[in-house]
C-alpha cells in the first residue's frame, strides 16, 4: 500500500539501515530515560531537604502565604525554585523521549529526501513506511536541505543536554550560574560528549544514483566537505531510479545502452562509469561504505560504524530494481549477490581514522576471493549420457549481466551452423591481445531447464564492460595494499639493488684495504719470527756465525740448536715474540636460520560444527580455500592458514546457525587483532 514495487531492492536496503539505527538508539535512549528518572528524583529530594517534609514545594517556590514549612529565608526559596525548575525541564524531556506529541516518543532518525521512489513510498497516507520525521525536496537538493535541518536538530538536542548537565552540576554542588550559563550559551554539537553524541538521532540525506551522482553531486560534495556528521544513503540502481529508469550515462546501462552488435571489432559509444565511492574518498574526511543486501552482516556492521563517527558518512547501497533491471520480484538478493561476486559492484569501507596511509583506511574485506581476479563456482549440469557433472568456472561480469533484461540484447545462444571462429571462454578471451581476438568469439556457459550445458555468445560491449570492471577491481586492490603495483615493485627492487651494490662496494673496499695492509706487513712479521727463532737456536753465537752456519747446512738439514740449560740454572729470558698474524679470509655471509616458532600450547585451532551446517554458502563466499564442503555438502575448515583471522571472524558472524568457531589468531602480526579477538569471543 505504500507505492513501492514488489521486491524493491531500495526499500530492503533502507529497512536494513534503519534496523541498524534502532539497534544503536533504543538501548541508548532507555539508559538515558533511566538516568533522567534518577536526576528528577534527586533534584526533588534536594529541594525537599530545604523545607519541612510535609511542605508544598510549588507553594514554597512561588512564595505563597505563610503556612507550616513555608516560613523560610528568601535565598532558600530561590534554591527551591531553581531545583523545581530544573526538575520540570527534565520531566518534560523525559516525556518527549517516552511519549511526546505523537505518543510514540522521540524519533530515532530523520530523513531529508530527494524526489523519487523513496518519496513515492511516503506519498499515500496512511501507508507511510517512515516512522520518523521526513522532508521532501527537489531531485538534487536533499543534501542542502539536510545541512539546514542538521543545525536546527542539533540545537534542539543541545538544549536537552544543557538541562541534564545543569542538573548534574547542581546535585554535585558545583553549579556556578555565571560561569556555567556563559558556557551553555555557546554550547553546540561539537562539544557533545560521546554519550551525548550517541543519543542524537542521525539525520539522513537520501536519494538515488541520479540525485547524488549526477545532477545533485555538487550539493552532495558540499555536504561531504562540511565536516558535519550527516549520514547519506545512496540507493544505487545504476539506472537513475529516481527518474523512472532513464538511461544513465554514468551507470552500467549507460555504458552499453547505445551499443549493439556481436562483431569482435565493432565499437559503440561508451562513457566510463563514475565511481561515487572514489569521489567520496577524495574528500578524505568522509566515512565511506559501499555494500548491499548481498552481505547483510557486512552492511549492518559497517553502517553501525558509520553512525558512530563524528564526520560525514555515506552509505552507497547497490539496490537491484526488479522493474529497471528486468528481474523477478523476489530476485533482488540474488542479483545483488551476483553483482558482488562478479566484481560489478565490489564492497568496500573507507575509514579516515584507520591510519595515515590509504591502505590502512581502505578495507575490501567482504568481497569473495579477495586475492584472485574472479571468484569461482561449480556449474552443475547433465551430460549427453544423463550423468550429473560439474564444471568449475570463474564468475565474471558477463555472468552477472546475462541474468538481467537490460543487457539481454548483448547475449545470443550459440547454435550449430553459426560462423563464430574459435570459441573462447569469456574469462580467457579477456586476456587475449587485439590480434588474437580477431579470430576468437567469447562465450559463457549456461544450463537449460533440463540441466543441459549450453553456451551463450557475448557481445563486444560486455567485454568492454568487464574490462572496465576488472580494471577498477585491480585499482581497489592496489589502493588497499593487497597487491603491489608494477611501478612500486620496480621502485622497491631498484632501491634494494642500489642498497646491495653500496654494501657490496663497501665490503669490497674494506677487504681490499685489509689485504693490501696484510701484503705489506706480513713479510716483516715472517722475517722477524725467523730471526727470533735463529737467535733462540744459537744463543751463544754471533749473528755472523749463525748466518755462516746456516749457509753451510745442506738442504733439508735440521735447524740450529743448542743444549737446553739445566733446570737449576736460571734460563735466559726469551725475547718477546709477536703473535703470528691470522690470515683474514672473507667468507660469504651466513644464511640466517629460520626462527623456530614455538606453538602456543593454549592456542585454539578454528573449527566448524560440520554436522550442523545448513550449506548456506556464506562462509565459502568469503574464502573458498579456507572453507570447503565435504561429501555431504557441509562446510569444514580445510586449511586454517589459507585465510586470515578476520575472515574467520567474518564467517562466524555471517553464519546463520553460528557454528563457526574462529579459535585463536595464527598470525600475531595481523592488523587490529585486539578488536577481532573481542568480536570472536562470543563464538569461542
Amino acid at each position: 500500500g505504500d507505492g513501492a514495487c514488489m521486491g524493491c531492492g531500495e526499500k530492503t536496503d533502507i529497512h536494513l539501515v534503519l534496523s541498524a539505527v534502532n539497534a544503536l538508539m533504543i538501548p541508548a535512549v532507555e539508559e538515558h530515560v533511566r538516568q533522567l528518572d534518577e536526576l528528577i528524583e534527586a533534584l526533588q529530594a534536594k529541594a525537599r531537604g530545604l523545607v519541612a517534609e510535609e511542605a508544598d514545594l510549588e507553594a514554597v517556590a512561588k512564595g505563597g502565604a505563610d503556612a507550616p514549612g513555608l516560613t523560610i529565608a528568601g535565598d532558600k526559596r530561590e534554591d527551591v525554585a531553581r531545583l523545581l525548575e530544573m526538575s520540570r525541564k527534565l520531566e518534560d524531556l523525559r516525556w518527549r523521549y517516552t511519549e511526546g506529541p505523537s505518543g510514540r516518543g522521540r524519533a530515532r532518525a530523520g530523513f531529508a529526501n530527494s524526489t523519487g521512489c523513496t518519496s513515492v513510498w511516503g506519498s499515500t497516507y496512511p501507508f507511510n513506511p517512515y516512522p520518523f520525521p521526513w522532508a521532501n525536496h527537489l531531485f538534487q537538493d536533499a543534501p542542502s536541505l539536510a545541512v539546514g535541518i542538521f543545525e536546527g536538530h542539533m540545537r534542539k538536542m543541545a538544549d536537552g543536554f544543557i538541562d541534564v548537565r545543569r542538573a548534574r552540576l547542581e546535585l554535585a554542588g558545583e553549579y556556578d550560574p555565571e560561569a556555567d550559563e556563559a558556557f551553555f550559551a555557546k554550547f553546540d554539537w561539537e562539544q557533545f560528549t560521546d554519550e551525548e553524541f550517541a543519543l542524537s538521532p542521525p539525520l539522513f540525506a537520501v536519494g538515488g544514483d541520479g540525485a547524488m551522482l549526477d545532477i545533485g553531486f555538487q550539493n552532495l560534495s558540499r555536504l561531504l566537505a562540511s565536516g558535519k556528521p550527516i549520514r547519506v544513503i545512496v540507493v544505487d540502481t545504476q539506472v537513475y531510479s529516481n527518474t523512472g529508469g532513464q538511461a544513465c550515462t554514468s551507470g552500467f546501462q549507460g555504458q552499453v545502452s547505445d551499443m549493439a552488435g556481436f562483431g569482435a571489432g565493432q565499437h559503440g559509444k561508451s562513457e566510463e562509469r563514475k565511481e561515487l565511492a572514489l569521489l567520496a574518498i577524495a574528500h578524505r574526511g568522509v566515512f565511506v561504505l559501499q555494500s548491499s543486501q548481498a552481505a547483510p552482516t557486512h552492511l549492518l556492521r559497517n553502517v553501525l560504524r558509520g553512525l558512530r563517527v563524528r564526520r560525514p558518512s555515506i552509505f552507497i547501497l547497490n539496490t537491484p530494481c526488479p522493474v529497471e533491471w528486468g528481474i523477478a520480484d523476489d530476485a533482488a538478493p540474488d542479483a545483488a549477490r551476483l553483482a558482488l561476486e562478479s566484481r560489478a559492484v565490489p564492497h568496500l569501507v573507507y575509514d579516515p581514522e584507520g591510519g595515515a596511509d590509504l591502505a590502512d583506511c581502505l578495507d575490501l574485506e567482504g568481497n569473495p576471493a579477495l586475492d584472485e581476479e574472479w571468484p569461482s563456482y561449480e556449474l552443475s549440469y547433465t551430460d549427453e549420457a544423463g550423468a550429473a557433472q560439474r564444471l568449475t568456472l570463474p564468475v565474471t561480469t558477463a555472468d552477472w549481466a546475462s541474468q538481467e533484461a537490460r543487457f539481454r540484447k548483448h547475449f545470443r545462444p550459440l547454435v550449430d551452423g553459426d560462423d563464430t571462429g574459435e570459441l573462447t571462454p569469456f574469462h580467457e578471451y579477456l586476456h587475449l591481445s587485439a590480434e588474437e581476438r580477431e579470430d576468437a568469439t567469447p562465450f559463457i556457459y549456461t544450463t537449460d531447464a533440463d540441466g543441459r550445458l549450453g553456451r551463450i555468445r557475448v557481445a563486444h560491449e560486455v567485454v568492454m564492460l568487464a574490462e572496465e570492471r576488472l580494471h577498477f577491481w585491480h585499482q581497489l586492490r592496489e589502493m588497499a595494499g593487497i597487491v603491489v603495483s608494477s611501478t612500486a615493485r620496480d621502485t622497491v627492487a631498484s632501491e634494494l639493488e642500489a642498497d646491495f651494490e653500496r654494501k657490496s662496494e663497501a665490503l669490497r673496499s674494506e677487504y681490499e684495504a685489509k689485504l693490501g695492509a696484510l701484503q705489506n706487513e706480513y713479510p716483516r712479521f715472517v722475517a722477524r719470527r725467523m730471526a727470533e727463532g735463529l737467535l733462540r737456536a744459537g744463543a751463544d753465537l754471533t749473528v755472523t756465525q749463525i748466518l755462516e752456519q746456516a749457509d753451510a747446512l745442506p738442504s733439508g738439514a735440521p735447524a740450529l740448536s743448542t743444549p737446553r740449560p739445566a733446570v737449576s740454572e736460571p734460563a735466559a729470558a726469551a725475547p718477546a715474540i709477536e703473535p703470528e698474524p691470522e690470515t683474514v679470509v672473507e667468507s660469504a655471509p651466513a644464511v640466517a636460520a629460520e626462527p623456530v616458532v614455538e606453538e602456543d600450547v593454549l592456542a585454539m585451532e578454528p573449527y566448524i560444527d560440520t554436522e550442523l551446517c545448513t550449506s548456506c554458502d556464506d562462509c565459502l563466499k568469503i574464502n573458498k580455500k579456507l572453507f570447503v564442503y565435504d561429501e555431504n555438502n557441509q562446510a569444514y575448515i580445510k586449511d586454517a592458514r589459507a585465510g586470515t583471522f578476520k575472515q574467520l571472524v567474518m564467517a562466524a558472524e555471517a553464519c546463520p546457525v553460528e557454528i563457526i568457531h574462529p579459535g585463536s589468531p595464527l598470525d600475531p602480526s595481523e592488523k587490529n587483532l585486539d578488536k577481532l579477538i573481542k568480536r570472536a569471543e562470543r563464538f569461542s
Side-chain angles (χ1 to χ4, degrees):
D2 60 12
C5 303
M6 293 293 291
C8 177
E10 298 171 83
K11 189 173 178 182
T12 300
D13 282 354
I14 287 181
H15 276 308
L16 286 171
V17 173
L18 293 178
S19 68
V21 172
N22 286 331
L24 193 65
M25 294 298 301
I26 290 175
V29 169
E30 289 177 348
E31 174 60 21
H32 189 55
V33 169
R34 187 191 64 78
Q35 293 178 9
L36 289 175
D37 288 336
E38 292 179 352
L39 289 173
I40 293 168
E41 183 179 353
L43 288 170
Q44 292 180 351
K46 184 174 181 179
R48 194 165 295 281
L50 297 176
V51 298
E53 183 67 24
E54 67 279 5
D56 184 343
L57 295 179
E58 291 292 342
V60 172
K62 295 177 181 178
D66 289 344
L70 296 184
T71 54
I72 60 175
D75 55 347
K76 283 191 176 182
R77 179 176 285 111
E78 292 177 0
D79 291 341
V80 171
R82 185 176 68 253
L83 290 168
L84 290 182
E85 178 63 20
M86 292 181 182
S87 176
R88 277 194 293 268
K89 287 185 176 181
L90 294 186
E91 287 175 338
D92 178 74
L93 185 60
R94 184 190 186 283
W95 173 77
R96 294 184 182 280
Y97 273 109
T98 57
E99 297 180 37
S102 67
R104 304 179 63 177
R106 177 162 280 181
R108 300 182 186 120
F111 267 29
N113 194 74
S114 290
T115 300
C117 291
T118 50
S119 60
V120 171
W121 304 337
S123 60
T124 307
Y125 181 84
F127 304 109
N128 190 324
Y130 301 128
F132 44 77
W134 69 289
N136 194 67
H137 211 278
L138 297 178
F139 186 48
Q140 73 276 8
D141 288 340
S144 298
L145 178 63
V147 171
I149 295 176
F150 174 81
E151 295 296 342
H153 170 55
M154 284 303 182
R155 180 66 261 165
K156 196 70 174 178
M157 294 303 303
D159 291 341
F161 296 143
I162 288 172
D163 292 336
V164 173
R165 288 192 178 203
R166 187 184 288 119
R168 286 175 175 164
L169 289 171
E170 176 67 40
L171 292 172
E174 299 173 357
Y175 179 60
D176 180 352
E178 184 175 349
D180 292 332
E181 293 305 324
F183 170 76
F184 291 148
K186 300 179 181 179
F187 182 69
D188 62 15
W189 67 268
E190 293 181 296
Q191 296 161 295
F192 288 2
T193 65
D194 290 341
E195 181 185 31
E196 290 168 342
F197 185 78
L199 276 167
S200 303
L203 177 65
F204 291 93
V206 184
D209 43 302
M212 298 295 185
L213 185 57
D214 194 78
I215 190 173
F217 179 72
Q218 179 179 353
N219 290 336
L220 174 62
S221 178
R222 174 173 171 263
L223 184 156
L224 299 180
S226 71
K228 294 178 171 61
I230 302 172
R231 317 309 177 191
V232 180
I233 297 178
V234 181
V235 283
D236 183 16
T237 66
Q238 300 111 34
V239 289
Y240 270 21
S241 60
N242 279 354
T243 53
Q246 61 191 6
C248 172
T249 56
S250 63
F252 294 130
Q253 181 167 314
Q255 283 184 272
V256 296
S257 60
D258 294 326
M259 306 172 185
F262 283 82
Q266 295 178 13
H267 296 264
K269 295 182 294 181
S270 177
E271 184 173 318
E272 291 289 336
R273 169 176 159 80
K274 288 181 284 188
E275 290 296 336
L276 182 56
L278 293 187
L279 293 171
I281 290 172
H283 288 76
R284 297 177 295 171
V286 179
F287 181 92
V288 182
L289 167 65
Q290 182 163 291
S291 189
S292 71
Q293 59 188 283
T297 303
H298 180 269
L299 188 153
L300 291 169
R301 180 174 65 249
N302 291 297
V303 165
L304 288 171
R305 286 176 61 189
L307 292 174
R308 292 187 180 102
V309 298
R310 294 202 185 201
R311 58 177 72 246
S313 301
I314 182 168
F315 308 137
I316 307 165
L317 308 179
N318 179 34
T319 52
C321 176
V323 174
E324 305 299 345
W325 287 29
I327 57 178
D329 290 344
D330 61 350
D334 292 334
R337 187 176 298 112
L338 192 53
L340 169 65
E341 294 175 353
S342 66
R343 312 301 190 204
V345 187
H347 286 181
L348 63 86
V349 177
Y350 176 80
D351 185 355
E353 299 174 8
D357 298 328
L358 178 60
D360 295 329
C361 301
L362 184 60
D363 185 356
L364 297 183
E365 293 291 346
N367 290 282
L370 194 57
D371 298 325
E372 301 176 15
E373 189 170 68
W374 306 107
S376 60
Y377 74 106
E378 298 289 334
L379 178 64
S380 300
Y381 67 96
T382 304
D383 63 17
E384 296 297 331
Q389 301 289 345
R390 284 189 175 185
L391 190 62
T392 301
L393 295 168
V395 185
T396 68
T397 307
D399 295 292
W400 162 70
S402 68
Q403 301 301 306
E404 299 180 12
R406 54 181 173 150
F407 300 116
R408 191 163 294 159
K409 67 180 180 180
H410 303 291
F411 297 90
R412 190 170 69 195
L414 284 167
V415 296
D416 294 339
D418 281 352
D419 182 14
T420 58
E422 183 179 354
L423 292 176
T424 307
F426 186 80
H427 63 282
E428 295 179 6
Y429 183 89
L430 293 177
H431 293 286
L432 298 180
S433 66
E435 293 181 357
E436 293 171 327
R437 289 183 179 183
E438 290 181 357
D439 298 322
T441 298
F443 74 91
I444 59 174
Y445 286 102
T446 186
T447 55
D448 59 21
D450 298 324
R452 302 289 182 180
L453 191 65
R455 292 178 294 187
I456 298 179
R457 188 176 181 181
V458 183
H460 177 72
E461 290 73 23
V462 177
V463 173
M464 295 171 61
L465 176 61
E467 288 176 331
E468 187 271 333
R469 290 291 84 198
L470 196 57
H471 180 60
F472 178 55
W473 174 244
H474 289 162
Q475 288 178 325
L476 285 180
R477 292 203 302 161
E478 181 184 334
M479 291 166 60
I482 297 172
V483 296
V484 180
S485 69
S486 57
T487 302
R489 190 183 301 110
D490 293 344
T491 301
V492 172
S494 177
E495 291 177 353
L496 290 175
E497 290 174 0
D499 185 58
F500 176 79
E501 287 297 328
R502 286 194 298 271
K503 291 180 178 178
S504 298
E505 184 61 32
L507 287 172
R508 191 180 299 109
S509 300
E510 182 182 0
Y511 173 80
E512 291 175 352
K514 288 182 178 179
L515 184 61
L518 190 60
Q519 289 173 340
N520 292 332
E521 298 294 331
Y522 196 67
R524 289 187 295 169
F525 284 125
V526 173
R528 181 173 181 177
R529 188 176 182 86
M530 291 175 61
E532 290 171 347
L534 290 172
L535 289 172
R536 285 196 299 272
D540 296 332
L541 303 175
T542 64
V543 173
T544 301
Q545 292 171 329
I546 292 172
L547 293 175
E548 290 175 350
Q549 197 174 37
D551 290 338
L553 288 174
S555 176
L560 299 175
S561 63
T562 56
R564 291 178 65 85
V567 175
S568 59
E569 297 178 4
I577 302 175
E578 289 282 339
E580 183 177 356
E582 295 180 2
T583 303
V584 179
V585 180
E586 294 291 330
S587 60
V591 178
E594 291 188 6
V596 179
V597 180
E598 296 184 2
E599 293 289 342
D600 186 352
V601 295
L602 298 178
M604 293 177 57
E605 288 286 333
Y607 68 96
I608 298 178
D609 299 322
T610 301
E611 65 279 3
L612 302 177
C613 176
T614 60
S615 307
C616 67
D617 292 347
D618 285 347
C619 59
L620 272 68
K621 291 168 186 170
I622 294 176
N623 188 328
K624 285 192 175 182
K625 295 180 181 178
L626 178 60
F627 304 100
V628 297
Y629 278 151
D630 62 12
E631 64 278 3
N632 297 320
N633 206 36
Q634 292 181 300
Y636 71 96
I637 295 177
K638 181 179 181 181
D639 181 4
R641 296 187 180 276
T644 63
F645 185 65
K646 183 173 184 178
Q647 289 175 329
L648 284 164
V649 175
M650 290 174 59
E653 293 173 336
C655 180
V657 288
E658 298 188 354
I659 59 171
I660 299 176
H661 309 281
S664 304
L666 300 180
D667 180 7
S669 64
E670 187 171 341
K671 292 192 331 183
N672 300 321
L673 271 188
D674 291 344
K675 296 179 181 178
L676 292 172
I677 291 172
K678 188 171 182 63
R679 285 167 54 184
E681 285 178 354
R682 68 188 184 97
F683 304 107
S684 60

